[in-house]
Amino acid sequence: MKRLGWIKITLIILMVIGFLARVYQIGSVSNQFHLTRQFSTAQMVRGDYFATADVPEWRRAVALANQPPSLEPPVIQTVALLGYKLVGSEQLWIPRTFSALAWVIGAFFLFLAAKKIMREEAALVTVAFYLFTPFGLAASRSFQANPTMIALSIISYFTILHYFEQPSKQRLFWAIIAAAITNLVMIYTVFTIFLLFGWLSLQRHGLRRVLLEPDTWLFLFLSLLPSGIYYFNGLFIAGYLRSQTGALFNPSLWLTPIYWINWVALIGEVVGFIALILSIQALLTARKPLQSATLRSLWLGYLLYGFVISWPIMSHSYYSMPLIPIVALSLGSVADFIFVRLQAPRQRQWIPGLTLAGIAAFSIFGLAIYLPTTTVTSELAHEVEIAQEVGDKVQHSTHTIFLAKDYGSFLKFYGEIAGLSWPGTWDFNAERVAGKPTISLVQRLNAMNTENSPQYFIITDFDELSLQDDLEQYLSSHFTVVERNDDFIIYDMKMPQVASS
């Protein structure tokens, strides 16, 4: 009991500190994790909220113009909308707190799952990495579906391990429910969930029997049924998901060095290279069949996932978030490998101290890197002011083109304008990688003019403008400047530049 007592207390302390760290400054502009994705989700909810809220008509029009389609079931969007209506205003801390809470709840189920394949002390190490790895700290309080998806994935891992520990219809039912909800929230989870269930099924029944096992087919069919209906409708009936398939799957990238280099670099950004190396060691030193099967199936599932969504996995770090619990379990297995070898009476008493030292190392390191990022710097505050000033200057127009950081996320959200984002050099490179035909500056402007009939061209990203000399020259020679200062340039595209005599 004494041993169990300190482990439980430590787990509670880790979860409380992990939650408090995440909610600190959670609604402020300092929350800079992948702004484009966060504000895209925020714009989805703003459009729905402003549709019935008591706001000026121009705000409603801009919100609807900026509202993107939802590409997955709107779980966190629904939470945000209900929260906005409950408090009577748009508050970003509501969905972000939901993300943080989901992540911390995931830590509890990660501990339960880890206990099934390793010692409880090692399971605490797993939880510490999951809660306090720097990338995870920032990612898990963002306004996007991914943190909820990670938490649900972990619950699915636990229910699957629980089922195979002592198979029963009741345990299978909960495994199916968890997997079905997880796959519905984000279908990418299917890779790790199915590989884990399939690997453990093979281990238990063998290849011949597993194909005849009713539980296997029940799990596969029922856990995919809700998401299958949703995505079948999105792809083949309503059609709103068709445009996304080509943007995700690009097998030609497999043969390019940049694919592998970028993917590995982003893995290092998400979990760190030391943790990655130790995780590979865990695959080799896992001491029990269940432990080995769990780690190897989850890693294989992640790799298959990366092959299928080949473009995002090499271009957007948050697509590797599923690796955080997998690496956490791997590091816990390394700790378990060490603890199992400390079996002499004098050595066993070292285990609590080593566990707490490992937890402290993960926690202090993660918090030391993460907490400074929660400060609202003067630069960030000024970015909001710039966006608001630009919005006023163009009278919150919905007919604009803008060259701005994060695809104009600040301009659209804080400045409340709408329009089209002019591509940066990164986007031009992405187009080349995707094999899209090169089009000229004039052709691109004409296409945007046809699509949105823009009145204003707004520039706030001067670093990017310096890389596109042809754009600056063209705009300066063809359109009148509304205002130019150290923060922004606004061109009136409906007022041609008059040549000087």
Side-chain angles (χ1 to χ4, degrees), residues 260-324:
W260 300 99
I261 293 170
N262 282 10
W263 187 3
V264 172
L266 291 180
I267 288 175
E269 179 183 338
V270 173
V271 297
F273 288 113
I274 294 176
L276 176 63
I277 293 168
L278 290 175
S279 296
I280 295 172
Q281 178 186 340
L283 294 174
L284 302 175
T285 59
R287 63 186 179 87
K288 294 184 294 188
L290 182 60
Q291 187 182 78
S292 174
T294 300
L295 296 181
R296 292 173 184 175
S297 62
L298 292 178
W299 269 101
L300 181 58
Y302 168 75
L303 292 174
L304 288 175
Y305 154 77
F307 285 131
V308 172
I309 58 158
S310 47
W311 169 247
I313 203 70
M314 62 158 279
S315 59
H316 295 73
S317 58
Y318 60 82
Y319 276 91
S320 282
M321 283 171 64
L323 201 53
I324 293 176

Side-chain angles (χ1 to χ4, degrees), residues 215-235:
D215 286 5
T216 302
W217 295 107
L218 278 172
F219 181 85
L220 291 174
F221 177 74
L222 294 178
S223 65
L224 267 182
L225 183 61
S227 54
I229 294 172
Y230 177 83
Y231 287 101
F232 182 84
N233 176 63
L235 287 170

